[in-house]
Amino acid sequence: MSDQRSRAELFRSLHVAGNPVVLVNAWDAASARIVAAAGARAVATTSAGVAWSLGAPDGDALGRELASELVGRVVAAVPLPVTADIESGFGSTPDEVAGTVRAVLATGAVGVNLEDAAPAGAAGLRDVADQSARLAAARAVADEAGVPLYVNARVDTFLRGAGGLPETLDRAAEYLRAGADGIFVPGVVDPDTVTALVAGIPAPVNVLVGPGAPTVPELAELGVARVSLGSAVAAAAYAVVRRAAVETYGSGGYDALAGGLDYGTLNALMRG
């Protein structure tokens, strides 16, 4: 527990406005070790990448057991703090979210993302009071366990087209009161909006990036404290699989495989 606590305290300390923690999200032990070897200060899972790797779609379809088992494999694979994307908590009630957080803590992870998107099949966002109760349940479990778990509350207003800046700031304030430590606002990277989010949220702000987004140094200048690549890395990896398959079954060539990591490098990483 003391080791987990120290990793949790370290992870919390990495969220610094102007010097953001950068998370190249992993989805299995191999991707986690590759990211760690590249110089990561912490490792985050991507819920979409994890779900895809286990044969399920993203969106709370995977289930608590498989998701937490995968998180445990990532934790065991790297000597770094690990934070887990648990979607909306793999449960319909705050008590069920608490069960998921308890399972994630048992793996040794030190952070969670908890999103406020409506349940699968429903449009929009969860009611603020409902999401606040879910966040409070996550915080209570961590407090009970004695681990300073970093609870990153994801606000999907921009991603779902379910509200602009005022709604985002209102939700962020409520989620922080409920026990969240930081606020994750995917779906927006334009500098003016990011600046407004940083100014209006009295907590570390996390943004989701990809091709075309401002660079990490540019986001640091805006005061961002956490930068995540999300599912983009897993999607890019799977794109290589698709290109290779299309080429090999089409022209019979193999050029799509150029630039891959060599066998020896990957094998050495897996030996630890």
Side-chain angles (χ1 to χ4, degrees):
M1 182 64 71
S2 60
D3 186 45
Q4 186 178 18
R5 181 192 294 273
S6 66
R7 291 196 306 273
E9 291 170 347
L10 170 59
F11 184 60
R12 182 176 293 271
S13 74
L14 296 177
H15 292 75
V16 178
N19 183 26
V21 58
V22 180
L23 300 171
V24 178
N25 301 68
W27 62 96
D28 62 8
S31 58
R33 285 194 172 172
I34 291 167
V35 169
R41 295 187 289 169
V43 170
T45 64
T46 158
S47 65
V50 167
W52 298 335
S53 73
L54 296 173
D58 192 25
D60 282 325
L62 184 61
R64 175 191 303 160
E65 292 76 17
L66 285 175
S68 58
E69 179 184 353
L70 190 284
V71 172
R73 290 179 182 274
V74 170
V75 170
V78 295
L80 298 172
V82 172
T83 183
D85 185 342
I86 58 170
E87 305 187 34
S88 62
F90 302 112
S92 59
T93 68
D95 283 346
E96 289 174 340
V97 173
T100 297
V101 174
R102 198 170 287 114
V104 169
L105 278 172
T107 70
V110 298
V112 293
N113 277 11
L114 194 61
E115 64 192 51
D116 65 357
L125 306 179
R126 289 183 183 274
D127 177 77
V128 172
D130 177 30
Q131 183 64 7
S132 294
R134 298 162 78 83
L135 289 163
R139 172 56 57 212
V141 168
D143 290 347
E144 179 184 323
V147 177
L149 181 77
Y150 192 96
V151 178
N152 202 32
R154 188 174 120 178
V155 185
D156 276 6
T157 42
F158 287 97
L159 196 63
R160 295 288 184 110
L165 182 62
E167 174 74 9
T168 304
L169 296 179
D170 287 346
R171 282 180 174 264
E174 292 296 329
Y175 297 166
L176 291 171
R177 277 192 281 271
D181 298 292
I183 301 297
F184 181 22
V185 187
V188 58
V189 292
D190 70 274
D192 288 345
T193 305
V194 171
T195 298
L197 289 170
V198 170
I201 297 173
V205 172
N206 180 190
V207 297
L208 182 69
V209 298
T215 64
V216 171
E218 290 169 339
L219 291 169
E221 286 286 333
L222 300 178
V224 171
R226 177 166 167 171
V227 177
S228 304
L229 271 64
S231 62
V233 183
Y238 289 129
V240 175
V241 179
R242 181 175 182 176
R243 287 196 296 271
V246 168
E247 181 183 15
T248 304
Y249 294 132
S251 67
Y254 322 105
D255 290 344
L257 299 175
L261 287 175
D262 66 87
Y263 175 91
T265 297
L266 282 170
N267 230 28
L269 280 174
M270 292 305 99
R271 291 192 185 101

